[in-house]
Each structure stands twice: as structure tokens, then as C-alpha cells.
Amino acid sequence: MKKITKQTYIDWYENMLFWRKFEDKLAQVYINQKVRGFLHLYNGQEAVLAGALHAMDLTKDKMITAYRNHVQPIGMGVDPKRVMAELYGKGTGTSQGLGGSMHIFSKEFRFYGGHGIVGGQIPLGAGLAFGDKYKGNDAVTLTYMGDGATRQGSLHETFNLAMLWKLPVVFCVENNGYAMGTSVARTANHTDIYKLGLGYEMPSKAVDGMKPEVVAKEMDEAIQRARRGDGPTFLEIRTYRYRGHSMSDAQHYRTKEEVAKKQEEDPISYVLHHIYKNKWATEADIKKIDKRVKDLVSECEKFAEESPYPEKNVMYDTVYEQKDYPFLPHKL
């Protein structure tokens, strides 16, 4: 694994703060109805992404996830202005405004979604890994899911084949405790989700998802195992989301006191404390970072606001039509 240095922590602070503020802005404009549809925010879970990116080789490794997917492509290298524009439904967005919040995608930066079907991305992630193994690449695919998706049959079918074929994939559950709004304890007879992998003899473990260096260490071990050809790993990354499942979530299933208690473990505050404790930056240095983050969020908002909506023909141009499709009469 790349060495974790003073600069690593400073970069983690700036990146995680930007992801948080970027989504805080999305929440604001959503209330103003500038972003429509569903909106699932990542607040509180930033250390999972920060640690994973440190362990990945961003020149070849891939990532796929569910619908809480705005900041991951930014971390992979996608221009955040284009991500913001996609959420606005603008033509300058990552999918020309046709995907929206749940379907951010970038082949260029090896980010393969953004999937709205619960658990739908799990077999797709294994498929990406199969493609790399078939072609003889040494790339690894990180396949993310929420704790609710682990109750889907597709997970078990995928685990079976991934182990059988020793696919270069790391399965990562971002266990924020509640799936959509139902606690883990109410969805199964066990609360240690990582144990699901043990039935397939897949290396599996629980990981503290509030500390990026812990995530980086465990993710590096899993990635290196996959890159060696030894097959998949299943990581249950235990984290917490500070906002609701989506913007329409009233959060009746948990108390404000519980959320406040969990916010004491905030990954951004944790990293900042570590920086100050080691005297790696002054308050003036941090204020400069804070200003850069604020300015970049404003640039993203301005870009999205000023971008045009896609022309109507774009929607029709992206629908596949095969003129000579068999079995269908050409004349009704």
C-alpha cells in the first residue's frame, strides 16, 4: 500500500470536506426544486471512499455502487461540475442530464454507476471483474452495496461464481445500520453481515468505516489478494449516515440523540483532529483549504445553473433501435 503520510491526511481532509459540502449544496438546491427526483446523500460515510481510493490504482481499477453515488466518481477523477450538472438534469452532465442522481457514470474514469435497483450492481461488479480476468488484465473491481442489498439473492449467486472463478473483485458493504429505514437487526437473525461470505469460504471481515486509514489498510489487503489471482474478499465496512435514506426520509426509525452521538465519530473531524494533534497544519492552513472547498462548490453550482438543458432529440438518440430485429413483424 502507498505510505500514509502527513500529506495523505491533509488531502483526506480537503477531499472529504469537499464531498460533504458538495452534497450539502445539493440538499439546499433540492429543497429549492432545482434537483428533482430521489436524492441519497453520503454524509458521514466519507472515510469509506477516502480509504478505498488510497488503496486503489486509479489508472486501472474500477468501481461500481448503488444509488448513493455522487462523490465516488469525483474521487475517481470525474469533474465535479459535470456531476452537479447531471443532478440538475443539464446537458453538460455526466450522462447529458438523462441519468440524474442515481445514475452517475463515467467509462473514462472507470466508474460504472450508480444503480437504482437494490443489489443490481452486485453481479455487474463481478461481471466487470470477469472481463478483466478473461482479458488477462490485473485490474480489480470494487463492488459496493448497502446493508439492505445483502438480503438479495443476487448476492449469493454472485458470491458463488466469484469464488468458483476466483474473480478479481472486492465486495464492500457500506453498513450504515438501517438500509432504507429498517435496522440490520430487524432484517436477519444475525447482525454480522460479513459472515455471509464465510459460507463460500471467502475471506470476510468487519471494518471500522469511520477512520480512513483503517479502511485503506483492509482495502489494500483485499485488492492485493484479488490482483494476485487469489479471488474475492467480502468487507463489511461499518459506517453511519447523518442524513436520511433520501431527502424524503422522515427518519422516524432513529432518535436525534442517536445521530448526535454518532456525529461525535465524524470522519472529517477525526482527520482534522489528527492533523492538529501532529501539528501538520495551522489554523490558517485549514482556513485556506476551507475557502478552496467553498469556492469549488460555488463553481459547481454556477456551472450547473448556467448549463443548458439537453435538446429533446438527445433522449431519442440514446434509445437503441435495430431495424432488422428477428421475430417481430415489420408490418402490423
Side-chain angles (χ1 to χ4, degrees):
M1 181 177 72
K2 298 190 295 285
K3 190 175 180 181
I4 296 176
T5 65
K6 157 189 170 180
Q7 191 60 46
T8 307
Y9 277 92
I10 292 172
D11 290 343
W12 275 342
Y13 173 73
E14 183 163 356
N15 290 335
M16 291 196 295
L17 183 66
F18 174 69
W19 301 336
R20 178 76 60 85
K21 297 300 183 182
F22 182 90
E23 292 210 315
D24 285 346
K25 175 58 67 175
L26 289 177
Q28 178 187 327
V29 297
Y30 184 89
I31 291 170
N32 295 332
Q33 297 188 337
K34 292 179 179 179
V35 171
R36 304 294 185 98
F38 293 102
L39 186 66
H40 307 84
L41 302 179
Y42 203 64
N43 296 40
Q45 301 182 203
E46 293 90 353
V48 181
L49 177 60
L53 291 172
H54 186 78
M56 295 174 71
D57 183 339
L58 294 180
T59 67
K60 57 188 173 185
D61 292 340
K62 301 176 177 67
M63 186 181 291
I64 187 170
T65 189
Y67 39 75
R68 204 176 301 279
N69 73 134
H70 311 135
V71 299
Q72 291 90 339
I74 296 171
M76 294 284 285
V78 177
D79 186 342
K81 294 193 287 293
R82 294 194 65 210
V83 175
M84 181 78 79
E86 183 62 34
L87 284 144
Y88 268 70
K90 297 299 185 71
T92 53
T94 52
S95 296
Q96 296 180 274
L98 302 180
S101 170
M102 294 195 286
H103 305 101
I104 311 297
F105 190 95
S106 175
K107 183 179 179 182
E108 178 186 359
F109 291 98
R110 292 165 295 283
F111 181 75
Y112 290 90
H115 293 267
I117 302 298
V118 176
Q121 76 281 8
I122 300 173
L124 295 177
L128 289 167
F130 177 85
D132 282 323
K133 181 162 187 173
Y134 182 82
K135 293 175 182 177
N137 302 331
D138 67 343
V140 176
T141 298
L142 271 60
T143 300
Y144 284 91
M145 68 205 79
D147 47 280
T150 63
R151 312 309 178 195
Q152 296 283 10
S154 60
L155 175 117
H156 298 276
E157 295 169 358
T158 301
F159 276 16
N160 183 53
L161 288 177
M163 283 299 292
L164 182 65
W165 295 335
K166 297 292 184 286
L167 298 181
V169 57
V170 181
F171 298 107
C172 314
V173 178
E174 294 184 282
N175 180 4
N176 58 34
Y178 288 104
M180 189 168 180
T182 304
S183 69
V184 171
R186 291 182 61 200
T187 62
N189 188 46
H190 62 90
T191 55
D192 292 322
I193 294 176
Y194 74 92
K195 292 180 179 178
L196 290 172
L198 301 179
Y200 301 90
E201 299 185 359
M202 186 186 299
S204 307
K205 63 170 62 176
V207 179
D208 182 351
M210 304 305 278
K211 297 179 175 64
E213 70 272 26
V214 175
V215 176
K217 176 181 177 297
E218 299 296 347
M219 195 69 77
D220 177 70
E221 185 178 316
I223 289 172
Q224 295 310 319
R225 167 183 159 79
R227 218 182 295 284
R228 288 193 306 268
D230 293 338
T233 300
F234 184 40
L235 299 178
E236 179 195 343
I237 307 178
R238 294 175 176 173
T239 183
Y240 197 85
R241 55 171 165 78
Y242 298 145
R243 291 183 179 270
H245 170 71
S246 68
M247 286 294 288
S248 59
D249 182 5
Q251 304 185 62
H252 294 311
Y253 48 85
R254 62 182 182 181
T255 64
K256 291 181 180 179
E257 290 75 21
E258 178 188 313
V259 177
K261 182 69 176 174
K262 287 291 185 179
Q263 285 176 328
E264 294 175 7
E265 304 174 40
D266 183 65
I268 299 174
S269 299
Y270 166 79
V271 168
L272 182 59
H273 173 75
H274 204 76
I275 291 170
Y276 280 146
K277 180 183 175 182
N278 289 281
K279 298 181 180 179
W280 287 338
T282 63
E283 285 192 22
D285 295 329
I286 296 301
K287 283 182 179 178
K288 288 179 183 177
I289 291 173
D290 294 348
K291 185 178 187 304
R292 280 203 302 270
V293 165
K294 183 178 180 180
D295 290 346
L296 182 53
V297 171
S298 296
E299 285 178 30
C300 293
E301 182 184 19
K302 184 174 186 291
F303 179 81
E305 292 273 4
E306 294 178 355
S307 291
Y309 286 103
E311 297 292 332
K312 287 184 179 179
N313 68 284
V314 171
M315 181 171 63
Y316 297 103
D317 290 346
T318 54
V319 176
Y320 177 72
E321 179 187 10
Q322 183 174 333
K323 303 279 187 188
D324 59 345
Y325 192 82
F327 314 123
L328 291 178
H330 296 294
K331 295 180 181 180
L332 297 178

